[in-house]
Amino acid sequence: MGFKCGIVGLPNVGKSTLFNALTQTAAAQAANYPFCTIEPNVGEVAVPDPRLATLAAAAKSKEIIPTRLTFVDIAGLVKGASKGEGLGNQFLANIREVDAVAYVLRCFVDDDILHVEKRIDPLADAEIVETELMLSDLESLEKRVTALEKKAKGGDKDAKQQVDLINIALAYLREGKPARFAMKDGKIDDEDEKAWKGLNLLTSKPVLYVCNVEEDSAATGNEYSKLVETRAAAEGAESVVISARIEEEIAQLPNEERTEFLETLGLEEPGLNRLIHAGYKLLHLITYFTVGPKETRAWTITQGTRGPKAAGVIHTDFEKGYIRAETIAYDDYVSLGGEQGAKTAGKMRAEGKEYVVQDGDVLHFLFNT
């Protein structure tokens, strides 16, 4: 399990070009990182993590299985999408299913590619996207709140909780602010977080700003991307600079030529990798590993996850019957030559139900069936 990222943007900003390039890059890595197209606008890519190969070498694993990221190229966003313009309804349905939303913003000038608004202004583009999502959330909440208020007056505790949360969201939306700002401002208590997510608001999703720049600005960004970075920082969001054209070129190169090509552009890694890293940071995700002679595998969890919940990512039975986790830190596993070396050195620990899993942990779960 990785995470599901929706890619949204106005026409002619490079959204679909970027989606196609990223998924083609993954397809070209098929020997190590299989790619599959689930639907025409949905693709899965492997999360790059060099630790996998290192662990597999130490354990002499036959197979390496990375964790996955799903990209959803969400079509149909134009002004009026919240009212059904373009493919509005399909657009809104797709976006409700993702963990985070990547706003692809045009940060390049090209007279051959007309902007739908006849200007280059990534912040204004972001406002159009955000406004459509807020309008949809407003309409949805205003339809729901009356019936819930009646239930709340009748003594329904769940309905009262939902009404309170809806009123918080409505206050933000009516001020022209996305619902996610309520979380940022500390308006949602820990005990209300599950119910808040259950409202399924479009603007409660974490946002990753993707600045699509010309090739010459791929390494350093440009004046437009700097504006977006400032906005992202102010919101507590993430931003990443990518050139969709460079990603297209990378997708057509064999693996052995990619590193040299990237170096000539002053880049250390493809945009796909940077996008994934930014997404993990945004969602506070970490990786733990299971390692053995059969396979070395990566698993994605949220920071702060305890042992039983981490085990449940593999199988619900692991969580239900959790006893303990035999735990070795990544550095110890590698430096001591694998599991046996770590055991001999006293670096394998037995961790119980309260253990908070750390990034890079190598885990073996013991559980009752």
Side-chain angles (χ1 to χ4, degrees):
M1 182 188 85
F3 66 94
K4 197 170 189 178
C5 183
I7 300 179
V8 303
L10 300 181
N12 293 339
V13 299
K15 175 177 65 70
S16 294
T17 300
L18 181 62
F19 171 83
N20 292 335
L22 294 179
T23 51
Q24 285 166 15
T25 299
Q29 296 174 339
N32 295 317
Y33 303 117
F35 160 77
C36 65
T37 299
I38 303 169
E39 297 172 19
N41 65 333
V42 180
E44 281 194 352
V45 301
V47 174
D49 193 327
R51 294 176 296 182
L52 275 167
T54 304
L55 290 169
K60 296 181 172 58
S61 303
K62 293 180 180 177
E63 189 176 6
I64 293 175
I65 304 177
T67 190
R68 316 292 298 173
L69 162 62
T70 302
F71 282 122
V72 184
D73 181 18
I74 298 173
L77 179 59
V78 294
K79 278 186 177 179
S82 59
K83 302 297 182 184
E85 294 293 328
L87 298 177
N89 294 332
Q90 176 186 323
F91 160 77
L92 297 172
N94 286 343
I95 203 171
R96 290 189 194 279
E97 301 170 2
V98 302
D99 299 307
V101 184
Y103 291 5
V104 179
L105 304 175
R106 179 168 171 171
C107 294
F108 65 89
V109 177
D110 187 335
D111 293 337
D112 293 331
I113 303 175
L114 296 178
H115 190 287
V116 67
E117 296 294 325
K118 298 181 175 61
R119 48 97 181 111
I120 306 301
D121 187 341
L123 297 185
D125 289 358
E127 288 298 330
I128 291 174
V129 173
E130 198 101 274
T131 297
E132 293 305 321
L133 301 188
M134 287 192 291
L135 288 171
S136 179
D137 278 347
L138 264 171
E139 183 180 5
S140 171
L141 292 177
E142 288 171 346
K143 283 181 179 178
R144 282 188 268 174
V145 71
T146 303
L148 285 168
E149 284 174 338
K150 289 180 182 178
K151 287 185 178 181
K153 287 176 181 177
D156 188 319
K157 291 183 179 179
D158 289 340
K160 184 181 184 309
Q161 181 189 37
Q162 288 185 62
V163 169
D164 290 343
L165 294 174
I166 285 173
N167 285 332
I168 290 172
L170 285 173
Y172 275 83
L173 293 167
R174 285 167 179 162
E175 289 181 9
K177 298 176 182 177
R180 65 179 180 276
F181 282 17
M183 287 287 290
K184 176 176 174 286
D185 293 343
K187 301 293 185 182
I188 310 301
D189 296 332
D190 290 344
E191 57 266 28
D192 289 330
E193 191 169 336
K194 184 176 181 181
W196 174 256
K197 289 180 179 178
L199 295 178
N200 209 17
L201 301 177
L202 301 174
T203 62
S204 68
K205 309 282 185 183
V207 168
L208 170 61
Y209 293 102
V210 180
C211 304
N212 184 17
V213 301
E214 69 278 4
E215 294 180 59
D216 291 344
S217 299
T220 59
N222 59 23
E223 59 179 313
Y224 297 115
S225 67
K226 296 289 193 297
L227 294 172
V228 177
E229 288 169 15
T230 300
R231 172 178 173 139
E235 293 181 1
E238 291 292 323
S239 65
V240 62
V241 173
I242 290 180
S243 167
R245 286 188 175 179
I246 287 177
E247 297 305 311
E248 277 188 309
E249 292 182 57
I250 291 172
Q252 298 169 22
L253 292 174
N255 285 340
E256 59 271 16
E257 294 181 20
R258 289 182 185 176
T259 301
E260 183 180 349
F261 175 69
L262 289 168
E263 287 176 352
T264 63
L265 297 169
L267 298 170
E268 295 181 0
E269 58 184 356
L272 171 63
N273 296 26
R274 298 197 304 280
L275 184 58
I276 290 172
H277 297 327
Y280 265 58
K281 184 178 178 183
L282 177 70
L283 295 173
H284 309 292
L285 301 176
I286 62 172
T287 301
Y288 77 82
F289 303 98
T290 52
V291 182
K294 181 181 178 182
E295 67 180 33
T296 291
R297 186 163 186 160
W299 305 89
T300 300
I301 57 173
T302 305
Q303 287 176 7
T305 299
R306 300 186 188 278
K309 283 286 184 186
V313 172
I314 299 176
H315 198 287
T316 53
D317 288 348
F318 284 25
E319 180 177 358
K320 292 175 185 175
Y322 182 95
I323 300 172
R324 64 181 181 275
E326 293 179 343
T327 308
I328 304 171
Y330 171 81
D331 288 341
D332 290 334
Y333 193 100
V334 173
S335 64
L336 296 169
E339 182 178 322
Q340 192 56 51
K343 276 185 180 179
T344 302
K347 293 296 185 179
M348 175 181 279
R349 313 182 310 276
E351 300 287 1
K353 293 182 179 181
E354 295 304 309
Y355 176 66
V356 176
V357 176
Q358 301 298 304
D359 184 57
D361 276 352
V362 178
L363 301 178
H364 174 68
F365 297 108
L366 285 79
F367 63 101
N368 288 316
T369 56

